[in-house]
Amino acid sequence: MNAKESKTCEQRQGNNNSFLNLVDSGRILRKIKERVHDLKLQKNKQLLQMLTVSSHQPLQHVREAWIHQPLDHFNRQDAKAFPQRFFVNEAFWHHTDGPVFLFIGGEGPIYEFDVLMGHHVDMAKEYGALLLALEHRFYGDSINPDGLKTESLTDLSSQQALADLAAFHQHISRSFNLSHRNTWISFGGSYAGALSAWLRGKFPNLVYGAVASSAPIKAKLDFSAYNTIVSLSLMNEAVGGSEKCLAKVQEAFAAVEAAVMGGNISHVAKDFGCCQIPNNPDDQIELMQNLADIIMGTVQYNEEGVLMSISDLCGVMTNGSSKYGEQMDAYHRLVALSQIYRSTSEESCLDVSFENTLKNVMDTSLRSRRRAERQWIYQTCTEFGFYQTCEDATCPFSGMLTLHTQTKLCAMLFDISQHSLPARITFTNTYYGGDSPCTHRVLYVNGGIDPWKELSLVQNSAKDGETAQTVFIKDTAHCADMSSRRVTDRCSLTKARQDIEKHVASWLKTAAQERTEKGTL
C-alpha cells in the first residue's frame, strides 16, 4: 500500500460520527439506531483519549485507503468503476503468519473505530491479526456522485457487494504479500452479518471462518414475526417486561387508532405533539408507525443506554407511582412515552408528514455521507423485503401498518411493481439458501429478545454433512455481542463472547494444522 493510497486517521479528525445498520424503514427507529451508534462512538472517543493521554497512540496504526471497484463485476463489457473506502490497522499484526480479521460494512458508513474497538478487535490483539474494514458499495463515501439516481442503483446488490469483498481480498493479499499462512476470518452484524455468512458460503477458498451476528440470512417479504417477538419481549420478566405491560401497549394503540378513526385527529395530534395534523390516511399511518417505532427501538436496542430499556418502558405503561397514577389510562401512558422520546431526542414535535418522508427519500443528492434510507429501501424492494407489518393478531400495534402501505414506496421511488416483490424475495433465498444455507464454519450469534433472530439461525443444524454452529444469548438484544466487554454485561453475554472466542481459536488452530499437513508452513 503506497503513501498516495493511504493517509493516517490523525489527518481525518472531522469524520468522528458513526452509523448503525438500518435493516428497518421506520423514521424514528432509524433515529434511535443512529443515537445508539453515536453513544458508542462517544464512549470510544473517550477511551481513545484516555489511551492517548497514557502514551498509547492507537490512531497511528490506522490508515484509510481506497480501491477502485467495477460497478458491475458480472459484465466485463462495462468498464465503469467507483471508489471503495477501507481502513487498515496493523497494530497487532504478526506479519509472517498472523491471521486477517475482516470487518464487513453494512448499509452505512464505516469509521476508524471499526478497526479500533469491538470484540473482533479484542480478539485481534490476542491472535496478532491484521484488522480490515471495508465499506459497502453505495454507502458512506463509497459512491459515485450520481450514485443515488434510480438508474445507478441497479448496481447496488448483495451479490455485487460479495464480489467487492472477493476483489478486496485479492487487493489486500497482493498489497501485504499475504499467503496461505494468513487465515482470514470475517465479522459482521445485522445485514453485514448476513454478508459475512454468505461470503464464507460463496467464497470458501477466501475466508476460512465467519462470525455472523444478528444476521437476517432469510429474506422475508411480510416480516410480521418481527412484531411477534416484540410482544414476547415486552412480556419477558427477565428484562423487566410483563403480561400487563404488553396488554397496556395493545390497549394504548387500540385507543389511538379508535380516536383517529373516530375523527378526533386534532386532539390526537395535540396529545402526541405532532408537527402536523394528520388529516390524510398517509399521515395517519406515519403517526402510527412513529409510535410503534418507539416501542420497537426500545426492544431492539434494550439496555444500550439510549432512550429507555424494556424495564423503563413497562414502568411507564404499568407503574402506579405518583408520576403515572394508577388511574392514568393506557392512551395517556403512550403519550408519556412519546414525550420521553421527544425530550431525549430533543425534537420539538413529532413529524408525521408522509410528504416529508417521501421528499427525503426521493432526494438523490449526496448531501450527507450518513445518508442510507434511499439505498436501503431500494435493497428491501429488490432483494430482502423485511417489512415489519402489523396485520395479524399477535401484533401489539396498529393494523394500519400493512404490507401494501409499506411496499408502495417501491413503485413510487423506483418504479418497482409490488407484484414483482415475491419473486425477488424467492430469488434471494434460492441464491443464498434461505434459513438452510450451505455455510460450513459459520458461527451465527443471536440475542433472545432481538426480533431479527427470526430470520437467522438460532439452533445448530446440519445440511449435506455440514454443521451450522450457533451461539444464543438468552436475554440480549441486537448485535450486543459485537461490543467490547463491559462491567455491566449480563452473564449470558459474557459467556457468549467466550464461546465466540473458542470458535475463532478453534478455526485458527485447525487452519494451522491443515497447513502443516499440506506442508505449506
Side-chain angles (χ1 to χ4, degrees):
M1 196 178 302
N2 58 47
K4 291 182 180 179
E5 187 184 28
S6 64
K7 58 181 178 179
T8 67
C9 290
E10 293 171 305
Q11 296 173 302
R12 310 180 49 258
Q13 292 302 310
N15 291 337
N16 280 331
N17 291 316
S18 190
F19 198 90
L20 195 64
N21 290 340
L22 290 173
V23 182
D24 312 279
S25 56
R27 187 192 306 183
I28 284 182
L29 194 49
R30 288 196 297 268
K31 291 180 180 179
I32 292 173
K33 292 173 183 179
E34 289 181 19
R35 289 177 55 206
V36 169
H37 238 359
D38 286 345
L39 178 63
K40 290 181 178 179
L41 172 64
Q42 183 181 4
K43 291 178 178 178
N44 287 339
K45 288 171 66 177
Q46 292 171 349
L47 178 59
L48 194 61
Q49 289 170 354
M50 291 172 57
L51 292 173
T52 302
V53 170
S54 63
S55 298
H56 291 81
Q57 298 291 333
L59 279 175
Q60 70 180 356
H61 300 287
V62 178
R63 288 178 289 169
E64 177 194 45
W66 301 82
I67 176 176
H68 287 278
Q69 295 271 24
L71 271 172
D72 187 353
H73 287 276
F74 309 114
N75 181 5
R76 297 186 182 279
Q77 305 302 315
D78 188 349
K80 290 180 291 188
F82 76 97
Q84 189 166 32
R85 184 163 160 265
F86 64 94
F87 286 106
V88 180
N89 183 357
E90 300 181 60
F92 319 115
W93 188 35
H94 298 162
H95 288 247
T96 304
D97 58 359
V100 180
F101 285 4
L102 170 61
F103 181 89
I104 299 174
E107 65 281 25
I110 58 168
Y111 292 94
E112 53 266 72
F113 289 108
D114 291 325
V115 293
L116 283 169
M117 309 288 178
H119 189 217
H120 64 294
V121 178
D122 298 337
M123 288 187 286
K125 295 176 185 177
E126 182 174 354
Y127 297 113
L130 174 66
L131 280 161
L132 307 169
L134 181 67
E135 194 164 67
H136 196 294
R137 60 167 52 209
F138 286 76
Y139 293 98
D141 290 329
S142 299
I143 185 170
N144 285 331
D146 63 348
L148 291 183
K149 293 182 178 180
T150 301
E151 56 270 27
S152 298
L153 288 173
T154 56
D155 291 314
L156 171 60
S157 71
S158 59
Q159 293 97 324
Q160 295 282 5
L162 293 180
D164 289 339
L165 287 161
F168 178 65
H169 183 287
Q170 183 180 32
H171 172 78
I172 291 295
S173 297
R174 184 172 58 248
S175 300
F176 286 90
N177 195 28
L178 302 181
S179 68
H180 292 296
R181 293 174 296 180
N182 306 105
T183 303
W184 286 63
I185 307 290
S186 63
F187 299 84
S190 202
Y191 164 54
L195 290 175
S196 181
W198 295 334
L199 178 64
R200 168 66 188 149
K202 293 296 183 182
F203 297 96
N205 58 314
L206 301 183
V207 178
Y208 191 81
V211 179
S213 300
S214 300
I217 57 170
K218 180 180 180 180
K220 186 77 172 176
L221 181 61
D222 187 343
F223 188 20
S224 60
Y226 181 100
N227 288 320
T228 301
I229 301 301
V230 169
S231 294
L232 293 173
S233 298
L234 291 174
M235 291 193 294
N236 187 338
E237 295 182 2
V239 292
S242 65
E243 291 185 9
K244 183 179 179 182
C245 178
L246 174 61
K248 287 295 182 182
V249 169
Q250 292 170 324
E251 183 182 336
F253 275 87
V256 176
E257 187 171 333
V260 170
M261 295 297 100
N264 297 323
I265 299 174
S266 297
H267 182 71
V268 170
K270 182 179 179 181
D271 285 343
F272 287 96
C274 299
C275 305
Q276 309 87 4
I277 297 176
N279 287 310
N280 66 67
D282 285 337
D283 291 351
Q284 292 165 11
I285 293 169
E286 195 82 7
L287 166 64
M288 303 308 286
Q289 182 67 66
N290 284 349
L291 296 179
D293 279 354
I294 295 173
I295 313 290
M296 293 157 68
T298 297
V299 170
Q300 185 163 317
Y301 296 106
N302 184 49
E303 299 179 351
E304 288 289 347
V306 174
L307 185 58
M308 67 190 95
S309 65
I310 292 175
S311 180
D312 297 330
L313 184 152
C314 288
V316 174
M317 294 305 296
T318 65
N319 201 326
S321 66
S322 57
K323 187 173 184 180
Y324 305 110
E326 192 69 46
Q327 302 305 313
M328 180 182 283
D329 61 23
Y331 174 95
H332 287 95
R333 290 177 185 271
L334 185 58
V335 169
L337 280 182
S338 70
Q339 290 171 342
I340 292 171
Y341 166 76
R342 286 194 290 113
S343 174
T344 56
S345 61
E346 299 181 347
E347 293 182 25
S348 59
C349 58
L350 201 63
D351 189 351
V352 296
S353 168
F354 177 72
E355 182 180 351
N356 286 350
T357 295
L358 193 61
K359 182 179 179 181
N360 179 56
V361 294
M362 290 185 74
D363 184 2
T364 60
S365 64
L366 297 178
R367 64 179 185 276
S368 169
R369 64 193 305 268
R370 288 177 68 131
R371 286 208 67 188
E373 298 94 330
R374 180 174 171 84
Q375 302 99 297
W376 183 245
I377 292 173
Y378 179 82
Q379 286 195 264
T380 64
C381 293
T382 56
E383 296 189 81
F384 304 125
F386 295 158
Y387 301 109
Q388 295 135 31
T389 62
C390 198
E391 296 183 78
D392 67 48
T394 61
C395 182
F397 309 126
S398 170
M400 296 167 68
L401 308 180
T402 67
L403 182 62
H404 175 78
T405 60
Q406 295 198 40
T407 57
K408 67 180 181 181
L409 279 178
C410 297
M412 297 176 75
L413 297 176
F414 311 115
D415 197 27
I416 296 174
S417 166
Q418 289 172 294
H419 298 295
S420 72
L421 300 186
R424 297 172 185 270
I425 305 304
T426 298
F427 174 82
T428 298
N429 287 328
T430 301
Y431 188 79
Y432 293 119
D435 54 9
S436 298
C438 296
T439 47
H440 177 51
R441 277 199 299 271
V442 175
L443 183 63
Y444 297 93
V445 186
N446 286 282
I449 63 170
D450 179 14
W452 291 97
K453 70 180 181 181
E454 287 296 295
L455 300 181
S456 188
L457 286 185
V458 296
Q459 292 182 330
N460 291 351
S461 62
K463 181 179 180 181
D464 299 329
E466 297 183 349
T467 301
Q469 297 171 312
T470 63
V471 171
F472 187 73
I473 319 170
K474 187 176 180 182
D475 300 317
T476 58
H478 196 63
C479 293
D481 63 284
M482 298 186 72
S483 300
S484 293
R485 305 172 189 89
R486 298 177 295 186
V487 294
T488 56
D489 287 338
R490 291 174 175 268
C491 293
S492 58
L493 180 54
T494 299
K495 183 181 182 302
R497 289 204 186 96
Q498 293 170 349
D499 289 342
I500 295 168
E501 291 161 13
K502 288 177 183 177
H503 278 87
V504 172
S506 174
W507 293 341
L508 295 177
K509 181 179 179 180
T510 303
Q513 290 173 341
E514 290 177 358
R515 289 197 300 270
T516 301
E517 292 170 1
K518 293 178 181 178
T520 57
L521 274 177

